[in-house]
Amino acid sequence: MQNQRRSVLKKMAATLAGITGINAIAKAAAPALPESSPQGEVIYDQEVPLFSSFKVHGNTVYIAGIGAHFEGDIKAHTDHVLKEMEKVLTKAGSSMEKVLKVSVFLHDLNDYKAMNEVFRGRFGNNPPVRTTVAVYGGVPGDSLVEMDCIATL
């Protein structure tokens, strides 16, 4: 019985070593991914870089969350956020029609219908996939909505 356990343990160790070795070889042979670099404004917190407003990696652009920090209702905030998103996408070399994914964060889920009224049609005939959630504790700042997105160039 003891010999069987030792044999099984040796086989397991050999398998693990083989997998680890194959993984190391695969990593060494894999082509390097294109470097990602900050393309948008870098936001600082106490003089320390916190996040970039957008980043381009390969043929993909990632847009940080955009809010609307002024007095207004959900329709005004949604309109502002989408207009700002379009500006950032243009600056990055993309457009609303090239957005693949949007994440929508609502301060109050009761604003879902009104947000959709403004959101509808803003991304052309082939809209992106979307996730919409109401954020526990609300969206940071005084915005009623925040959105981020991923798009192609």
Side-chain angles (χ1 to χ4, degrees):
M1 187 74 152
Q2 195 109 13
N3 285 340
Q4 276 183 320
R5 282 189 187 152
R6 284 186 188 145
S7 176
V8 168
L9 289 174
K10 284 181 182 179
K11 286 180 184 177
M12 288 173 63
T15 300
L16 181 59
I19 291 170
T20 304
I22 290 169
N23 191 25
I25 291 168
K27 281 183 181 178
L33 292 174
E35 280 194 37
S36 156
S37 59
Q39 301 291 323
E41 177 185 359
V42 175
I43 310 304
Y44 288 83
D45 181 25
Q46 298 177 12
E47 298 185 28
V48 177
L50 187 60
F51 65 91
S52 296
S53 59
F54 71 88
K55 282 191 98 94
V56 173
H57 185 82
N59 290 328
T60 308
V61 60
Y62 301 84
I63 308 290
I66 301 169
H69 304 285
F70 57 85
E71 289 292 322
D73 64 7
I74 187 63
K75 288 184 177 185
H77 281 208
T78 301
D79 184 60
H80 173 80
V81 167
L82 290 169
K83 285 178 179 174
E84 290 300 309
M85 182 181 290
E86 187 168 20
K87 287 178 191 175
V88 175
L89 286 163
T90 300
K91 185 176 179 181
S94 188
S95 69
M96 296 291 269
E97 290 77 20
K98 294 180 179 182
V99 174
L100 303 171
K101 166 106 173 68
V102 176
S103 297
V104 179
F105 306 95
L106 293 172
H107 179 78
D108 184 343
L109 194 55
N110 291 318
D111 288 335
Y112 183 75
K113 184 178 177 183
M115 180 276 301
N116 270 334
E117 289 175 17
V118 178
F119 189 94
R120 185 178 295 116
R122 298 296 274 269
F123 296 90
N125 293 328
N126 190 14
V129 297
R130 185 179 93 184
T131 300
T132 304
V133 296
V135 183
Y136 178 76
V139 175
D142 53 359
S143 186
L144 299 177
V145 63
E146 184 171 313
M147 295 183 203
D148 64 25
C149 72
I150 301 170
T152 61
L153 294 179

